């Protein structure tokens, strides 16, 4: 685990602000004057206590409608560290992660979750191919999907999980992929990461390229779900396309670190929820990973062996702009959030963003911008008018 002087922003506010100031600060920061606490079962809490991870519960409500019934679902999102050192055998590392995730899935099931999302181990910073490529597996028939399918069926839970995919049908090409498994234990499909970072320690283009699955939305018993993988959260058009395809909840499993992105973390997914009238679930890893050999970065720092720290801080944002407090910056955790999906349409009706979106205007502009002879639309003062 990584150590932070500030473990949790929300706890810091509650500790140092007087109650009258705290209420106003939370209204400004979170869109809510008070945390909408969701009571969790004793069994879920007991699992978390026994295995040493935090568990928090919150809820978002919607206005009662005359025709539609509430569409209430519970989402479980975990942030976790690796279990074994990166020098351990790959199979042992993967099994240890499976065991941890399985325990947290059981806690999510005990808390009544209908949907669960977790992120994969992150080892793709060093530029070394071996042994990291051995993590790769088939999306539909790989061991991680098979393991999760059994859990999904037994707990009646849709499960989203990141994997390093090996595409057997196309020359064993490797992709950064999220698989979606239905609550019946059936493989629904996958999404490959659309945007690959080339910044700092993120040397991911050594292993895989930009995805080719566009922006799929998976229709499940518990709502229409999509997965914006990691670095894709920096691209507003990526978020927008999931909304155009009808997503009601967009998950963002991530592995992002320290000073590189933390100021952006609380903004991007929340802004996406507002702009696209859906719920977002940004999930980040915790801990620091150490590697046997030094590697260099794209930011001018000296060669090093440590990658991290990942700063956790997973949260959920609603289409009305409100959001939950975050999980801690340094502990394994399970965030359970109850959502009324009716809020998505209610916010669309209120703000009218989709009606005022003007897609055809931007489609024409994007088409021009994609051409090799594109020139920015800049108007300059004519030289004839100058003295």
């Amino acid at each position: 685990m990584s150590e932070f002087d500030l473990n949790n922003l929300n706890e810091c506010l509650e500790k140092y602000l007087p109650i009258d100031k705290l209420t106003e600060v939370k209204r400004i920061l979170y869109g809510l004057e008070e945390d909408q606490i969701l009571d969790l079962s004793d069994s879920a809490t007991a699992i978390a206590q026994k295995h040493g991870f935090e568990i928090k519960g919150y809820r978002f409500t919607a206005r009662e409608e005359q025709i539609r019934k509430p569409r209430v679902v519970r989402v479980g999102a975990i942030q976790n560290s690796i279990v074994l050192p990166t020098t351990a055998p790959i199979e042992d590392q993967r099994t240890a992660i499976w065991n941890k995730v399985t325990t947290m899935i059981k806690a999510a099931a005990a808390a009544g979750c209908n949907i669960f999302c977790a992120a994969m181990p992150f080892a793709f910073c060093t530029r070394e191919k071996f042994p990291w490529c051995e993590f790769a597996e088939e999306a539909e028939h790989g061991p991680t999907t098979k393991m999760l399918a059994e859990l999904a069926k037994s707990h009646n839970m849709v499960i989203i999980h990141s994997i390093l995919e090996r595409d057997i049908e196309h020359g064993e090409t490797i992709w950064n992929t999220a698989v979606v498994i239905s609550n019946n234990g059936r493989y629904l499909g996958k999404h490959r990461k659309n945007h690959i970072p080339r910044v700092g320690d993120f040397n991911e283009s050594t292993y895989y390229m930009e995805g080719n699955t566009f922006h799929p939305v998976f229709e499940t018993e518990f709502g229409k779900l999509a997965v914006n993988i990691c670095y894709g959260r920096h691209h507003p058009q990526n978020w927008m396309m999931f909304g155009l395809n009808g997503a009601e909840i967009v998950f963002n499993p991530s592995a992002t670190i320290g000073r590189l992105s933390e100021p952006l973390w609380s903004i991007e997914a929340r802004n996406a929820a507002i702009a696209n009238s859906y719920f977002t679930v940004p999930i980040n890893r915790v801990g620091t990973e150490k590697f046997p050999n030094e590697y260099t970065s794209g930011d001018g720092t000296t060669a090093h062996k440590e990658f991290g720290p990942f700063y956790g801080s997973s949260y959920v944002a609603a289409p009305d702009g409100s959001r939950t407090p975050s999980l801690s910056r340094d502990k394994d955790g399970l965030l359970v959030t109850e959502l009324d999906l009716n809020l998505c349409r209610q916010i669309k009706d209120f703000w009218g963003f989709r009606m005022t979106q003007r897609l055809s205007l931007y489609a024409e502009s994007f088409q021009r911008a994609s051409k090799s002879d594109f020139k920015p639309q800049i108007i300059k003062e004519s030289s004839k008018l100058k003295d």
Side-chain angles (χ1 to χ4, degrees):
M1 293 291 185
S2 303
E3 293 184 0
F4 289 91
D5 293 330
L6 178 64
N7 301 103
N8 186 289
L9 177 60
N10 194 57
E11 291 176 0
C12 182
L13 295 174
E14 292 178 345
K15 181 177 180 180
Y16 292 108
L17 286 181
I19 187 64
D20 59 330
K21 296 291 192 298
L22 179 64
T23 298
E24 184 67 0
V25 167
K26 284 192 172 183
R27 184 188 68 80
I28 296 170
L29 285 182
Y30 299 147
L32 298 166
E33 294 185 0
E34 296 181 359
D35 300 337
Q36 303 298 306
I37 302 296
L38 176 66
D39 292 330
L40 301 176
S41 67
D42 292 341
S43 56
T45 303
I47 294 172
Q49 290 177 343
K50 179 179 178 181
H51 295 276
F53 60 88
E54 70 173 327
I55 184 169
K56 301 286 186 181
Y58 302 99
R59 62 158 45 96
F60 293 103
T61 59
R63 179 175 48 82
E64 184 177 351
E65 299 186 16
Q66 297 183 33
I67 297 177
R68 290 194 305 173
K69 295 180 180 180
R71 300 175 60 222
V72 177
V73 299
R74 286 194 183 186
V75 170
I78 68 164
Q79 60 180 42
N80 63 280
S81 58
I82 61 174
V83 182
L84 298 179
T86 61
T87 51
I90 294 295
E91 189 171 2
D92 292 349
Q93 289 187 56
R94 186 171 63 186
T95 300
I97 289 290
W98 284 357
N99 291 338
K100 175 182 279 192
V101 170
T102 297
T103 298
M104 300 178 92
I105 288 176
K106 290 179 179 178
C113 289
N114 309 111
I115 310 164
F116 179 89
C117 183
M120 64 182 287
F122 188 85
F124 311 110
C125 55
T126 69
R127 297 190 182 96
E128 295 181 24
K129 294 293 186 71
F130 307 108
W132 318 125
C133 287
E134 293 186 45
F135 274 114
E137 57 185 277
E138 286 187 85
E140 182 172 1
H141 303 292
T144 299
T145 299
K146 289 182 178 179
M147 182 272 294
L148 293 173
E150 295 179 5
L151 292 170
K153 185 175 182 179
S154 63
H155 295 303
N156 191 33
M157 182 188 297
V158 174
I159 295 180
I160 300 166
H161 200 286
S162 301
I163 64 167
L164 186 64
E165 179 196 357
R166 186 174 295 281
D167 187 355
I168 300 298
E169 294 180 351
H170 297 88
E172 301 202 7
T173 307
I174 290 177
W175 306 91
N176 186 332
T177 299
V179 295
V180 181
I181 302 165
S182 79
N183 54 311
N184 296 314
R186 300 189 186 97
Y187 170 81
L188 271 180
K190 65 190 175 189
H191 174 52
R192 292 168 173 164
K193 186 174 179 178
N194 280 328
H195 300 277
I196 307 301
R198 293 163 176 83
V199 58
D201 279 354
F202 291 86
N203 298 314
E204 297 176 42
S205 57
T206 300
Y207 301 91
Y208 39 76
M209 296 300 290
E210 285 77 10
N212 58 4
T213 53
F214 296 91
H215 298 86
V217 170
F218 302 90
E219 187 165 3
T220 74
E221 182 177 334
F222 307 114
K224 295 178 181 178
L225 317 177
V227 193
N228 185 354
I229 302 173
C230 201
Y231 185 78
R233 71 183 179 278
H234 300 308
H235 295 268
Q237 294 85 3
N238 207 36
W239 291 105
M240 181 182 70
M241 288 307 304
F242 293 118
L244 291 180
N245 284 331
E248 296 171 306
I249 311 172
V250 180
F251 294 85
N252 178 226
S254 298
T256 184
I257 60 173
R259 293 184 180 273
L260 175 68
S261 62
E262 196 164 9
L264 310 179
W265 179 252
S266 62
I267 300 170
E268 290 168 316
R270 188 179 185 186
N271 185 64
I274 297 167
N276 299 289
S277 303
Y278 52 46
F279 290 93
T280 59
V281 188
I283 304 165
N284 190 25
R285 296 276 309 287
V286 292
T288 296
E289 299 181 4
K290 299 180 181 180
F291 297 91
N293 299 320
E294 291 183 337
Y295 59 94
T296 55
S297 302
D299 55 7
T301 57
T302 58
H304 47 282
K305 295 183 178 181
E306 292 192 2
F307 186 80
F310 303 101
Y311 53 79
S313 304
S314 305
Y315 66 96
V316 176
D320 63 359
S322 61
R323 53 154 289 181
T324 69
S326 299
L327 291 179
S328 73
R329 299 171 75 213
D330 63 344
K331 297 182 179 67
D332 287 346
L334 168 62
L335 178 63
V336 179
T337 311
E338 186 174 275
L339 321 172
D340 187 341
L341 298 181
N342 281 353
L343 187 61
C344 298
R345 181 191 289 178
Q346 291 176 11
I347 294 301
K348 288 178 182 178
D349 290 346
F350 180 79
W351 280 106
F353 289 154
R354 187 60 60 85
M355 180 174 58
T356 60
Q357 196 169 27
R358 301 201 65 192
L359 289 179
S360 59
L361 170 69
Y362 293 99
E364 183 177 341
S365 297
F366 289 150
Q367 183 68 19
R368 291 202 305 267
S370 68
K371 302 295 185 181
S372 60
D373 60 352
F374 169 73
K375 296 185 184 304
Q377 187 179 358
I378 299 174
I379 299 174
K380 300 179 180 180
E381 182 180 8
S382 172
S383 60
K384 295 180 180 180
L385 300 178
K386 294 182 180 179
D387 293 336

